[in-house]
Amino acid sequence: MSVKVGMVSLGCSKNQVDAELLLAMLADGGYEICADAAQCDVVVINTCGFIEDAKRESIENILEFVQLKNEGKIKAVVVTGCLAERYREEVAQEIPEADVVLGIGRNGDLLQAIRDALAGKRTVAFGEKEELSLEGRRILANAPFYAYLKVGDGCNNHCTYCAIPLIRGPMRSRPIEKIVEEARQLAASGVTELNVVAQDTTRYGEDLYGKLMLPELLTQLCKIEGVHWVRILYCYPDRVTDELLEVMAREEKVVKYMDIPLQHCNGRILRAMNRRGDAQSLKALLQKVRERVPDVVLRTTMIAGFPTETEEEFSELCQFIQEVKFERLGCFAYSAEEDTPAYEMEQVDEEIRRRRAELVMETQYGVMEQVNRARLGRTLEVLVEGRTGRLWYGRSYMDAPDIDTKVFFTSKRAHRPGEYVKVLVDGVEEYDLRGKEVEA
């Protein structure tokens, strides 16, 4: 009888790609992949360790499956991913019921570790972060018509609030030919939307080739038959170059969408974050992006309540958001992370941090109303994702998977997920758009 293995992957899209590599490894190793982790013999929990809320979610998931193991419903619990890498000894010692604890550099040991766990032997193993394999077959954990294309791992930016360099190590890019080959394989399997990701996607290639290679990579991806949309996520503002904007404007397959996590706009706060710029320079950059790439959608992420942030500096952030009018925006309350420089700074009260994050999103809600109403009467290409009641729904070029909004529409015909249709926008519902399919 085959052993059933389930995967619970938490956190970001980069972590999801790691999970998809592990799923393929398990399947190729003879294990049966089971969609419902609670019904499996073995569960692999690919944890997140980025901020406090994510760590809490990871621990809750581990304890939930440990409980199922104690009840005899599953046979083994495997913990890997960022939490296991960051808190190596703590996870191993404080959760002895976890049969396997692997750091990211030892993901390649997963098959043997599961065999040992089922034989009653515990495995706790950690390696060099750079030993994490970025190559290999994947089993997509999402709908089959889109995929995340991970172009590198780690980060060299060393923002003072961020634990990613501690967890993932320095930036290391994948060879361009390996990425293009993976993209070809994904397209051949039915993927039409590629979402290009890394911790800092704009830095892609600097370590391997001595220069920023994202524009060249995008150009090559657009040549692949079957690829319809190529989306860029996680751009660092300092490396949004003229060459990158030129490729975005020129290549039809590159959707006019740029995710630039700015984190803040106040110059003093940005310097305390070990980032550069201020409100004036960032406005100039964003204006240039909008001028060079007509109809571009700008997404950003902000941090509210960073250490020493004053009420005046927070007000400047809200004013900045109102003026720039980002089409998409998310906000985190600052999370104090051990072993980061910001952890040692004077902290803003946690309740104030959370309230400020809520105020940012309230500010953005007003912006989104204006942005959405400006879309009324426009026809958008929509990637169909499914149906709810009498309405179909999907995403336009303005919406990345998992994080952005939807377009709901009526249609006189049936659709299949993964289809592209034209929708005339005739209504707004909170953050989402409403419309009807334009008949061909």
Side-chain angles (χ1 to χ4, degrees):
M1 184 180 293
S2 62
V3 175
K4 295 181 179 180
V5 181
M7 173 74 70
V8 175
S9 188
L10 306 169
C12 67
S13 56
K14 285 88 68 183
N15 211 35
Q16 179 178 319
V17 173
D18 292 349
E20 292 170 346
L21 288 165
L22 291 175
L23 283 171
M25 182 193 304
L26 289 163
D28 293 343
Y31 292 102
E32 180 182 345
I33 305 302
C34 181
D36 184 355
Q39 302 298 316
C40 294
D41 300 302
V42 179
V43 63
V44 179
I45 306 167
N46 190 35
T47 58
C48 178
F50 181 46
I51 59 175
E52 192 60 40
D53 288 347
K55 289 185 284 188
R56 189 178 301 114
E57 182 186 20
S58 293
I59 292 167
E60 287 171 356
N61 270 272
I62 296 168
L63 296 179
E64 175 188 337
F65 285 101
V66 162
Q67 180 63 32
L68 290 177
K69 178 192 164 188
N70 291 340
E71 294 170 2
K73 295 178 180 177
I74 59 177
K75 297 175 182 175
V77 175
V78 177
V79 181
T80 184
C82 288
L83 187 81
E85 177 65 31
R86 186 176 179 190
Y87 299 102
R88 298 179 169 193
E89 304 309 323
E90 292 95 324
V91 172
Q93 292 174 11
E94 294 180 20
I95 312 179
E97 300 92 342
D99 302 275
V100 178
V101 180
L102 294 178
I104 59 172
R106 297 300 290 273
N107 274 2
D109 296 350
L110 180 62
L111 297 181
Q112 184 60 51
I114 290 176
R115 284 192 288 269
D116 289 344
L118 293 173
K121 179 184 174 184
R122 190 180 195 222
T123 299
V124 176
F126 305 99
E128 296 299 319
K129 305 176 198 303
E130 293 77 12
E131 292 175 19
L132 171 68
S133 175
L134 305 180
E135 311 294 343
R137 189 173 81 86
R138 292 161 56 190
I139 294 178
L140 297 185
N142 48 244
F145 48 81
Y146 76 89
Y148 295 103
L149 189 63
K150 187 173 174 179
V151 301
D153 201 53
C155 189
N156 294 342
N157 291 332
H158 295 285
C159 301
T160 58
Y161 54 82
C162 184
I164 292 298
L166 300 173
I167 301 170
R168 292 279 175 169
M171 169 75 178
R172 58 190 180 104
S173 302
R174 296 173 60 196
I176 194 166
E177 61 273 14
K178 296 275 192 182
I179 299 170
V180 172
E181 178 56 32
E182 180 182 9
R184 285 200 185 99
Q185 292 171 0
L186 289 167
S189 74
V191 169
T192 62
E193 179 189 13
L194 298 173
N195 296 278
V196 180
V197 296
Q199 299 300 338
D200 175 0
T201 307
T202 42
R203 202 162 197 159
Y204 169 69
E206 187 180 56
D207 54 321
L208 277 184
Y209 305 105
K211 63 176 182 175
L212 303 178
M213 287 288 284
L214 182 58
E216 172 63 23
L217 174 62
L218 293 173
T219 301
Q220 293 201 30
L221 293 177
C222 289
K223 294 176 182 176
I224 298 173
E225 186 177 351
V227 171
H228 191 76
W229 281 351
V230 179
R231 188 183 304 275
I232 315 166
L233 299 173
Y234 317 124
C235 299
Y236 194 81
D238 292 15
R239 285 180 276 279
V240 175
T241 62
D242 290 346
E243 186 184 5
L244 177 58
L245 296 179
E246 181 184 327
V247 170
M248 280 193 73
R250 181 185 73 232
E251 296 289 349
E252 288 186 8
K253 291 184 179 181
V254 177
V255 294
K256 312 317 174 199
Y257 174 108
M258 183 170 274
D259 179 14
I260 314 176
L262 297 180
Q263 315 304 355
H264 214 283
C265 70
N266 176 267
R268 188 190 72 83
I269 291 292
L270 286 168
R271 287 191 296 276
M273 290 178 167
N274 193 34
R275 297 172 70 91
R276 286 164 288 284
D278 54 22
Q280 184 177 350
S281 65
L282 293 174
K283 284 178 188 175
L285 168 66
L286 300 172
Q287 182 179 346
K288 181 168 81 167
V289 174
R290 283 173 165 158
E291 288 173 353
R292 299 281 182 88
V293 186
D295 215 22
V296 70
V297 163
L298 293 175
R299 161 171 263 284
T300 196
T301 309
M302 298 297 185
I303 295 175
F306 184 81
T308 75
E309 181 190 57
T310 65
E311 285 291 345
E312 292 75 18
E313 289 164 339
F314 173 69
S315 295
E316 182 184 352
L317 175 61
C318 292
Q319 182 65 31
F320 179 80
I321 292 167
Q322 288 177 322
E323 290 178 10
V324 172
K325 292 183 170 47
F326 293 96
E327 285 81 4
R328 304 287 183 263
L329 181 145
C331 184
F332 291 100
Y334 167 76
S335 177
E337 297 301 314
E338 308 97 320
D339 302 319
T340 63
Y343 189 76
E344 305 300 326
M345 298 178 186
E346 182 185 342
Q347 303 293 309
V348 174
D349 180 77
E350 186 173 354
E351 185 57 39
I352 293 174
R353 290 182 233 163
R354 295 195 177 277
R355 179 58 185 149
R356 287 180 181 176
E358 291 170 1
L359 288 170
V360 166
M361 294 313 298
E362 288 175 17
T363 301
Q364 178 62 15
Y365 184 77
V367 171
M368 281 289 288
E369 281 191 315
Q370 299 174 50
V371 167
N372 279 343
R373 296 205 173 279
R375 307 287 169 178
L376 291 173
R378 283 193 53 181
T379 297
L380 297 174
E381 184 176 45
V382 173
L383 172 56
V384 179
E385 293 183 307
R387 186 175 185 173
T388 174
R390 288 164 35 180
L391 291 175
W392 296 90
Y393 65 90
R395 292 181 288 108
S396 73
Y397 82 97
M398 301 185 293
D399 304 301
D402 304 320
I403 56 173
D404 287 328
T405 61
K406 304 288 186 189
V407 180
F408 293 87
F409 65 95
T410 57
S411 177
K412 295 179 180 178
R413 61 192 182 100
H415 295 282
R416 55 179 175 76
E419 219 180 312
Y420 290 85
V421 300
K422 301 290 186 182
V423 174
L424 174 65
V425 178
D426 59 15
V428 175
E429 191 169 308
E430 295 188 339
Y431 287 105
D432 300 315
L433 297 176
R434 297 284 293 265
K436 58 186 175 184
E437 184 189 4
V438 178
E439 294 184 36

